[in-house]
Every structure is written in structure tokens, then in C-alpha cells.
Amino acid sequence: MNHVLCGLAANAALPSELVDRLIAVADADIAADLAGRGDLSHAQAVALASRVEESAVRLAYEGRLTAADIDPAAQPHAALALLYDRAGSPEWARLLAADPVFERREKLAACSGLPFDVVETLAADSDVRVVAELALWTTPEVAAMLAGHPHAEVRRAVAANEATPPAVLAALITGEGLPPAQRCLVCDREETPFVHDPQCPRLDCDLPPGASCDGAHESTMHDMQQAALRNPATPTKAVVGFVDHPSMLLRWALAARPDLPSEVCGRLAVDAAPGVRADLAENPAIDDALIRALASDRGHDVQRRLAHNPHVPLDVLTHLAGATKIGATLLPRIAAASPAEVEELAQSPNPDTRMLLAQRRNLPAEIRDALATDPDAKVVKSIAPHPGLSEAQLRAMVDRHGVRVVSKVAANPDATPALLEDLTRHEPSVQKAFREVARHRNATAPALLACLADKQARPIAAGHPALPPPVIVELLADADWQVVEAAAANPSLPLAVVSDLVP
């Protein structure tokens, strides 16, 4: 791989004539970067697609190529990309439906708007993987037709398709009204009864770990039920009976559904599996009483997931903030807090609660400024990236809390060039701060030169346009290929150097 040319291919300042020269010598790696250029003309896109078919796929998906630009026989993957976007020719679909390479027929089966004769051909395909892919994405009418397919893998795909009619999903999940499945991927390949060893040593085996069949295709049927439980189109009445199912995975899938009756939620709240209770805790279907009951559940991840429930009361959230590690994230309930609730949270005696509020980036100025002077470092760390803070406020944070807030101060979009330079000289140094400075729009040459000394920040700094051109040129010979590509993609790389580098 020529990392210099790959970087140049992504260089936003590359003149059009040099783009043409790169297209003429492009391999798959260079073409991948060229295809991502926003200034690529239609003629250049066609030339690049003709040279490297892999790039044609991306260009087609992004609408940079038309049907007139593609030869489906020579560029089948690009043709499939246009068909996926419903911009290809129906004749292409007929051609690809008979393609001897099953992966192409499988990709075709995922396309919408196919002619009905092509759909019929794919539904009768000799490879069940093609039929299953069709079942996963097809229309309600075709999904209903495939629900009675003799192969259980096709039924599993129908159960996952959100376009499948609710009555059909109910029949799949209960088995009522459908003939029994005759085959599955397990009994297609092995004599039954068979249980696939999770540590299977065969390199050519692609059966899932634990896949089994005793003649009833149980593992595939179990997967089909799980897919139907996760499908929002499956009627509530058809799923509630799984609340006491012996399979934890099925109860787990049920717990995430937002349409559960309160009595079902109550039974899942005392499930023996903490994963089931954790999914239920984040479910907006649970009521206030259940939220409060789960707030004291010490099962793995239950309290953290409950904190992410959009309906959790603020007093419960305050309790959860001190009881579990939520992390630096903006919780849905915090994001939706009213102005009065924001003031209440800002005055909370619990610093963990104030820290959660500080994750908001649209706080009123007076609350933002109050949190910026909070005595607790974790609160200040959360508020430090908030826009609108002055240089004096940011410097005061560093003076009070030191290394605990340096990287977050460096991430503030309003951090001044002088402040960024000072942060790179902070003692003791903070490695993450160098990465933040290296990507900051206000970073200066002295700050970036300091960032180059840090191994992880070096590739980021190499691509910053404020880096001095002579330094960028030196970095083209760096031992780290990521640094080389970033330097070559730097728009401040002198044009004369660029011209000499392009064959």
C-alpha cells in the first residue's frame, strides 16, 4: 500500500488535474479514498469506477453513478448497489437472479421494488440463504407466502421482517395454522439428533455455536421465536405468554418490548435473570411503582439501565446517580428536564446528580457558570466542554482541579490558542489532552508541535492545517503509516510537493 498516495487521494486541497492523475494509477486502496471525495466530478467517478470496481459500489450507493454508467455483467456489485437504491434496470435484476454466485443473488434478494417475476425466482432459489434474505426484507404479501416455507431458516427470517403481517407473526410464534417445518440448516448438514460443539474444530463449519436439531429443528425454531418477540409488529397478545418461558433468551427479548401490560412487567421484574430485569428497567413501558422497585435492585446493570429510562423520576435518578456508575453520558431524563427541573438538579447536594446535569450542552448561562465553579472535580470535568465558557473560566478550572480536568478543558470548542498551548505544557502532562488539542480548530503551530511528541496524538496533529508546511513534508517519511497518510491528506501540504508526489 502506498500510504502517501492514499493520503493525497483524501486531500481536500488536491486540484482536479491531480485527481485525474491519481485515478489513472489508482489501486483498490487509493480508489477507496478517491471515492470519498466530495468534489469528484461525474466523469471522474465514471473513470474511477471503470478502473476499480470496488469503488464503483460506493459511488453507486452515494448516487455518483447512474444506470447508464454501469455494465451489470462487468460490474455486478455496482449494479446491485443501484438496484438496492431502486435506480437500476429491471433487466439487471433478471440477469442477477440467475447469477451462479449465490452471494450476488443473496444481495439481490435484499433489494426492494424488484419485478415480481424476479421475486418468484428468488423465492424458489436452490440456496436457502437466498430465500431467507428475501424473506427478511420482502413485502407483506411475499412474507406471508414464505411463512409456510418448508425450511425453518426462511421462517426465522420472516419472523424478523417488520413488514410481515401481525397475524402471520402470531402464527409463527405459536405454530398454529402453519404446517411443521421440514428442514433446518443443522439437519441439512448433519444426521440428527445433533448438537453443534461450541468449540467445533472444523474450519469450514459455519453453524452457530450450540445449534441443534433432534428432528424438530429446535434451535432454529427458538431463534424464530426470539426474532418474532423482538419484532414490534408481532401482536402483544401473541407474546405475553412467554413471560414464564423456560428460555431466558426469550424472556429477555420480551422484556424490551414497549407494549407490555403492567402485569407482565411485574412478573419480569422478579425474573431470576438480571439481564431480563436490566432490559425491563430501561423499558419505557414500566410504571412509576415498578421503577421505584427496580431502583433498589442490585442485579448486574439493572440500576444503570434504569437511569437511562426516559420516565425515571428525578428523585429516583438522584438515588441512582450515587448508587451506580452511569458514566459521562447525557441521560434521556436529564435531556428532557424542564427549566424548573434544571434549576432543581443544579442545586442538588449530590455531586453525582450535578455531574449528570453538566452533560447538557444547552444549559442557561447562569447555571453553566455556577457548575463551572463547582467544588467537585467530576462536575467541573463534565461542564468543561460546554460552549460559551470564557478563557478565564477554563483557566480557573485547571488551576483548581489540575490533571483531572485538563483534557476536558482542551475539548472545549471555545478554548483559545494561548490556552491550548499552555495545556500542552501542563505539568504533569495529560496524554489525552494532546489528542484533544491536536484535533482542535484553534490549535496553533507550537501546540501542534508539542502534540507530535505524543504517539497517539501524532497522527491527528499530522493532519491539522495549522501545522507548518515544512513539518508536514518531513512527516511524509514518518515510520508510522497513519502519520504518513494524515500528513499527505493535510490541505496545507505545499502544492509543488503534492505535484511531485503524484505519478
Side-chain angles (χ1 to χ4, degrees):
M1 182 185 294
N2 189 320
H3 295 293
V4 171
L5 294 186
C6 285
L8 290 176
N11 192 315
L14 196 69
S16 181
E17 59 270 19
L18 294 186
V19 173
D20 289 334
R21 281 162 56 181
L22 274 181
I23 291 172
V25 298
D27 57 16
D29 298 311
I30 297 169
D33 288 299
L34 286 169
R37 296 185 63 89
D39 61 351
L40 208 64
S41 69
H42 179 252
Q44 288 171 329
V46 172
L48 183 59
S50 299
R51 180 171 177 84
V52 181
E53 194 203 347
E54 293 92 334
S55 66
V57 175
R58 178 174 178 178
L59 292 166
Y61 274 125
E62 294 180 354
R64 313 284 284 278
L65 297 174
T66 67
D69 303 321
I70 297 297
D71 177 357
Q75 300 166 300
H77 295 291
L80 284 165
L82 285 181
L83 284 168
Y84 187 83
D85 286 340
R86 306 186 74 163
S89 164
E91 290 307 313
W92 293 2
R94 296 184 177 96
L95 174 69
L96 290 164
D99 195 298
V101 180
F102 98 85
E103 289 90 350
R104 295 174 187 165
R105 304 197 308 274
E106 187 178 36
K107 287 184 179 180
L108 177 65
C111 298
S112 60
L114 296 173
F116 189 70
D117 61 304
V118 173
V119 173
E120 288 183 316
T121 299
L122 294 171
D125 198 280
S126 59
D127 194 310
V128 70
R129 291 170 293 186
V130 175
V131 187
E133 190 69 12
L134 176 69
L136 184 60
W137 303 106
T138 194
T139 62
E141 297 77 16
V142 177
M145 177 188 72
L146 292 174
H149 196 278
H151 205 287
E153 186 68 15
V154 176
R155 299 187 186 200
R156 181 202 60 77
V158 172
N161 187 340
E162 295 186 13
T164 300
V168 174
L169 289 166
L172 284 169
I173 207 169
T174 61
E176 296 176 4
L178 293 175
Q182 299 173 19
R183 306 292 297 174
C184 69
L185 292 179
V186 179
C187 60
D188 278 349
R189 308 173 193 185
E190 307 289 344
E191 289 188 16
T192 57
F194 177 83
V195 177
H196 187 224
D197 183 357
Q199 307 299 324
C200 178
R202 292 180 295 178
L203 298 178
D204 62 341
C205 182
D206 59 358
L207 285 175
S212 63
C213 180
D214 62 2
H217 326 297
E218 63 272 16
S219 67
T220 308
M221 299 303 286
H222 179 276
D223 290 347
M224 181 192 72
Q225 291 177 319
Q226 189 174 6
L229 284 167
R230 296 190 183 280
N231 193 327
T234 304
T236 306
K237 185 178 179 181
V239 303
V240 293
F242 285 82
V243 66
D244 295 317
H245 198 280
S247 169
M248 179 196 69
L249 292 177
L250 297 185
R251 301 195 309 275
W252 204 335
L254 179 66
R257 290 185 62 98
D259 59 348
L260 297 178
S262 58
E263 61 271 20
V264 174
C265 292
R267 287 160 72 179
L268 291 171
V270 294
D271 195 280
V276 173
R277 304 197 305 276
D279 265 26
L280 180 72
E282 194 171 352
N283 192 331
I286 62 176
D287 58 24
D288 186 80
L290 208 50
I291 287 175
R292 295 182 181 278
L294 288 169
S296 59
D297 189 326
R298 303 293 295 174
H300 175 68
D301 216 29
V302 174
Q303 291 178 321
R304 187 189 69 82
R305 297 286 295 279
L306 183 62
H308 286 262
N309 191 305
H311 299 150
V312 60
L314 289 184
D315 65 308
V316 175
L317 188 56
T318 298
H319 160 73
L320 294 171
T324 187
K325 288 187 177 182
I326 296 172
T329 184
L330 179 59
L331 298 175
R333 183 64 182 88
I334 296 291
S338 68
E341 289 173 332
V342 167
E343 290 189 18
E344 176 187 343
L345 290 166
Q347 296 169 11
S348 171
N350 186 345
D352 295 295
T353 301
R354 302 196 302 275
M355 178 190 70
L356 294 176
L357 175 64
Q359 289 294 325
R360 276 183 60 151
R361 295 292 174 257
N362 59 346
L363 293 171
E366 62 275 12
I367 290 179
R368 176 202 65 203
D369 293 345
L371 293 174
T373 61
D374 198 280
D376 196 293
K378 59 177 171 284
V379 178
V380 176
K381 186 177 178 180
S382 289
I383 200 67
H386 197 295
L389 291 167
S390 69
E391 179 177 3
Q393 288 174 305
L394 294 172
R395 287 186 181 276
M397 292 178 184
V398 176
D399 291 341
R400 287 196 309 272
H401 301 288
V403 295
R404 290 174 291 181
V405 302
V406 166
S407 64
K408 293 298 184 181
V409 169
N412 188 290
D414 300 320
T416 64
L419 174 58
L420 294 173
E421 288 182 22
D422 288 344
L423 293 177
T424 63
R425 294 190 289 263
H426 188 275
E427 291 293 340
S429 63
V430 180
Q431 187 181 46
K432 189 175 180 181
F434 288 108
R435 300 198 295 273
E436 295 292 352
V437 172
R439 62 173 61 96
H440 202 289
R441 63 187 179 187
N442 293 336
T444 61
L448 293 168
L449 290 173
C451 293
L452 288 175
D454 181 83
K455 183 178 179 180
Q456 293 185 340
R458 188 176 178 85
I460 306 171
H464 199 293
L467 200 63
V471 177
I472 302 173
V473 175
E474 289 179 12
L475 293 174
L476 293 174
D478 199 86
D480 186 335
W481 68 267
Q482 293 175 297
V483 174
V484 173
E485 286 201 8
N490 194 317
S492 295
L493 185 65
L495 183 57
V497 175
V498 175
S499 185
D500 288 341
L501 290 171
V502 179

